[in-house]
Amino acid sequence: MPAEIDPVLKNSRREAIIITVAWFLSTVYCCTYCYFTGYTTSSKPLGMDDVKPILGMPSWIFWGVMAPWFVCSIFTFWFAGFYMIDDDLGKDHTGELEQDIREGGLDG
Amino acid sequence: MDKAQTLHAEPPTLIALVLFTLISLGLGVVANLAQRKGNFLEKYFLGGRSLGAFSVALTAAVMSGGTFVGFPSLVYSFGWVVGLWIASYMIAPLTVLGILGKRIGQLSRKTGAITLPDLFRERFGSPALGLLTSLLVMFFLVCNLVAQFSAGARIMKIVLPVELTNWFVSPQVAANTDVGYYIGLAIFAVTVIAYTTYGGFLAAIWTDVFQSIIMAIGVMLLFPLAMKASGGLAEATYSGMRQTDPGFAFGPGAGRAFHPIGLAVSYFFMWAITGMGQPSTLVRLMAFRDSKTLRYSIIYLTIYNALIYIPLVFIFVAARSILPNLSASDDVMPSMVIKLANPYAAGLILAAPYGAVLSTVSGWLLIVSSGLVRDIYQRFFRPAAGEREIAWASYSTTILIGVIASLIALRSPAYLQLIIVFSSTGMAAAFLMPAILGSFWRRATATGAIASMATGAGVTLMLYLIGSLGTETLHLDWLLSENPPIGAPSRFRPYYLLGLDPCIWGLSSSLVAGIVGSLLSPPPPEERVALLFDAQPPDAPAPATLDLHPEVGHASS
C-alpha cells in the first residue's frame, strides 16, 4: 500500500498553487491594462489631455495598479486569515543533527 | 566633491541618528542576554525558531538602502511608470511567505537545519551541494554587503557636521579627499558589526523591527507634508511633464524607455518571485514559530507594503512640484526631508534609510558568517568543536566579514542599486528552484539541484557580463543584437535578452536544469525521501541519523 502523503506537504502544495494563480492573474491584468491604456507607442502618442487624473493619479495608474493592489490586499487578508491551514510543523531535530555532525565528521 | 556633501543637515538630525544608533546597540546587548540558554548555533543564527508574526513580517519587508535612496530617485526621474515597476508588491507578501513558508519551516525542523546550506545538504543528502550553496551565498552576499556598507557611509556623511571632518583633517585635505565618507563608513561599520556580533540573529531581528517602525513613521510624516507643499498630485504630474516630457505620466517613462512592457512583466518576477529565493527570506522561513505566525505575518506585511510603497510613489511624484529640476536625483529623499520637515522630524525621517541599510547588513552578515562557521568550519574542520569554541568562531567570523566588506567599501563602488539588484537576481536564480523542487518534488535529486543552482547563477552572471562589457568587446555581435537602451542608465548593466530582465532567464534556465538533471540521475534513496514527504510517526529520525544509523529507519518504518 502506498505511504500516506505528509499532510503539511499536501496543504502547502494546494496553497502554493492557489497563490501562484493569484500572482499570475495580477501580473497579466496589471501589465495588459497598463500597456493598453498607459503606454506611449509610435501609433498612440499620449499627452497632457490623456492623464485624466483620478485622485490626482493618471487614470491608468489608478485602474492598473492601485485598484488591483486593493483587490489583492483583500484577497490576501481572506487567504491568510481564513483559508490557510494551521499545520503542525513537527518536532525540531536541531540537536539530533548537531549530534550527527559530531559523529559523522566529514561525511555528515 | 560628492554632490551629497553639499546637502546641509541640521545638528538635531545628527542627534536623532546618534540616538538611533545607541538604541540599536542596546538591542544587541538585550538580545545577547535573551539567547544565552540552549543550543548556541540555533540561538545565534536562527533565534531558536521563535520569531513572531510582527518580526517575520517587518524583517521580510526586503527594504534596504535602495528603498529610500534609489527608489525615490527613480520616481523623480521617470515618473508614474515606477508605480508599475513596484506593483508586484501587491501580491509579494503572499508569494514570498506563502508559497514556500510552511514547507521550508517543516523541512528545516525535520532535518534540524539552521542554515540554507544545511537545509539543501540534508534535504538532498549531498555535502557537495551544501558546499556549493555556501560558496554562492558568500559570493553574492559579499558583493551586496559592500554596496550596503557604502550606502550607509554615504547617508552618515550627509548628516556629519563639517566641523567634525575638519577635526580629523585640515580643510585643505578634506577638500581633496572624501574624508566625510571614510568617517561615515567607520561609524556605520563599528555600529553594525558591534550589535550584530554581540547579539546574533535576535539582535538583527529586533533592530530590524525597530528600524522598520521608524521607516514607516518617517514615510507617514513625509506624506502629508509633501502633499500639502506640492499643491496636489495632479499638479505635480503636470509639473513633471513640463520639466521632462509627457512620458512622466505614462509608460515607459520620462526621458528614456525606462520600463518597457517586457521589463514590466519581468518585475512581477523580480519582486514577487525572486524575493522567495533570497537566503535572508529562506532563513526567516526556517525561523518562524508556527503556521499561525506565518499567516499573520503575511497579513501584516501586506498592510506594511501598502503603507510604505504607495506613499513613496506619491511623495516623489510630488517632489517634482516642490524641488523642480533637481540636478542629482539621488539626493531627492534627503533634499525633500530637509526642505519640508523641522530639524527634529528630519532627523527621524533621515534615520529611515540609515535604519534600512543597518538592518539589511546585520541580517546578511550573519548569513555569511553562519555559512563559514556551520557549513565549512564545523562540518569540514572541527565537527567535534564545543559550544565555547563555536561561539568564539561565530563572533570572530562575523567581525572578520564586516571588516573585509568595510575595507572593500573604502573605495566607494558606483552603481550601488544595480549591484544590489544583480546579487539579488543571482541569489534567486541559484537558490529558488532547488528550494521549490526540493520542497514539492520527491524525485528531485542532488544532481538536479546542483545543475539548477549552477545554471541559474551562471546564466545571470553571463548576462551581466555581456551587458556590461558589450557584445562587440566579447565578439558576440554576430550572435546577439545590440543591448536595448532600457532600464536605468548605467555602465554596469545586464544584457536584456529579448527585452526581458535576467531574472526571467536565470529562473527559467535553473528550473529546466533542475528537472532535466533530476530525471537523468538515479532516484534519491526512498528511505530519506519518505522521511520528508510521507506522513511519519512523531519519533521518526532526522535524515542525517538515518545515514549514520540505517537500522533506525528500519525500526521506525
Side-chain angles (χ1 to χ4, degrees), chain B residues 203-245:
Chain B
I205 293 294
W206 289 353
T207 49
D208 207 345
V209 169
F210 164 67
Q211 289 150 3
S212 298
I213 293 169
I214 297 294
M215 292 177 222
I217 294 172
V219 172
M220 293 299 106
L221 283 175
L222 197 55
F223 178 60
L225 295 173
M227 290 304 107
K228 191 175 171 204
S230 68
L233 277 178
E235 179 49 42
T237 304
Y238 292 125
S239 177
M241 291 171 85
R242 284 190 292 271
Q243 289 168 45
T244 56
D245 60 44

Side-chain angles (χ1 to χ4, degrees), chain B residues 326-553:
Chain B
L326 204 61
S327 58
S329 63
D330 273 351
D331 293 343
V332 68
M333 164 78 177
S335 302
M336 280 281 279
V337 172
I338 290 166
K339 183 168 177 79
L340 293 179
N342 77 45
Y344 290 96
L348 185 69
I349 299 169
L350 278 182
Y354 190 68
V357 184
L358 272 178
S359 60
T360 308
V361 167
S362 60
W364 291 348
L365 268 181
L366 283 174
I367 291 173
V368 178
S369 67
S370 70
L372 281 170
V373 173
R374 167 67 153 207
D375 305 307
I376 295 180
Y377 181 74
Q378 191 187 18
R379 291 271 198 182
F380 288 95
F381 297 106
R382 297 278 299 159
E387 287 263 299
R388 197 177 162 77
E389 182 181 337
I390 291 292
W392 278 106
S394 305
Y395 294 144
S396 37
T397 310
T398 309
I399 294 172
L400 185 71
I401 298 294
V403 170
I404 290 173
S406 314
L407 289 176
I408 302 175
L410 276 175
R411 193 175 162 194
S412 174
Y415 323 120
L416 288 189
Q417 183 67 14
L418 288 165
I419 292 173
I420 292 165
V421 170
F422 155 72
S423 60
S424 304
T425 305
M427 287 189 288
F431 306 129
L432 179 57
M433 290 307 163
I436 289 179
L437 295 174
S439 295
F440 295 118
W441 191 33
R442 63 191 298 147
R443 181 65 178 77
T445 66
T447 308
I450 290 172
S452 171
M453 211 175 269
T455 306
V459 165
T460 307
L461 282 171
M462 191 181 68
L463 288 171
Y464 269 87
L465 194 71
I466 296 172
S468 299
L469 296 180
T471 50
E472 278 184 30
T473 313
L474 296 168
H475 304 292
L476 289 171
D477 41 349
W478 59 275
L479 178 67
L480 300 168
S481 57
E482 199 180 333
N483 200 8
I486 57 178
S490 165
R491 262 190 65 204
F492 178 67
R493 64 196 299 259
Y495 181 78
Y496 294 102
L497 185 61
L498 302 181
L500 299 172
D501 189 87
C503 71
I504 297 210
W505 301 113
L507 290 173
S508 51
S509 61
S510 174
L511 176 64
V512 171
I515 293 172
V516 172
S518 295
L519 291 176
L520 291 180
S521 53
E526 188 49 36
E527 276 192 331
R528 170 180 284 268
V529 173
L531 281 179
L532 303 174
F533 283 77
D534 295 336
Q536 295 291 325
D539 61 345
T545 305
L546 200 64
D547 291 340
L548 287 168
H549 307 287
E551 70 283 0
V552 177

Side-chain angles (χ1 to χ4, degrees), chain B residues 149-160:
Chain B
F149 268 89
S150 182
R154 287 185 191 186
I155 296 167
M156 188 49 102
K157 179 177 129 177
I158 291 173
V159 297
L160 284 178

Side-chain angles (χ1 to χ4, degrees), chain A residues 11-21 79, chain B residues 98-100 440:
Chain A
N11 294 332
S12 302
R13 202 160 49 190
R14 188 182 59 246
E15 289 160 7
I17 290 169
I18 296 172
I19 294 170
T20 307
V21 170
F79 188 86
Chain B
I99 289 182
L100 281 172
F440 295 118

Side-chain angles (χ1 to χ4, degrees), chain A residues 4 6 15 23 27 38-40 58 60-61 76 80-81 85-87 91-94 96-98 100 102-103, chain B residues 42 49 80 102 106 109-110 112 249-251 259 268 291 295 302 374 378 383 385 533 535 540 542 545 549:
Chain A
E4 192 189 340
D6 186 311
E15 289 160 7
W23 167 80
T27 305
Y39 268 62
T40 300
W60 69 277
I61 281 284
T76 302
I85 293 169
D86 281 336
D87 285 302
K91 185 182 156 196
D92 181 3
H93 287 86
T94 304
E96 207 176 317
L97 178 60
E98 189 76 24
D100 292 330
R102 289 178 199 285
E103 281 186 40
Chain B
E42 191 188 23
R49 299 190 207 276
W80 279 107
K102 274 199 281 189
Q106 184 199 32
R109 284 165 174 81
K110 279 194 169 200
F250 302 105
H259 203 53
F268 268 81
S291 299
R295 292 195 298 110
T302 302
R374 167 67 153 207
Q378 191 187 18
F533 283 77
T545 305
H549 307 287

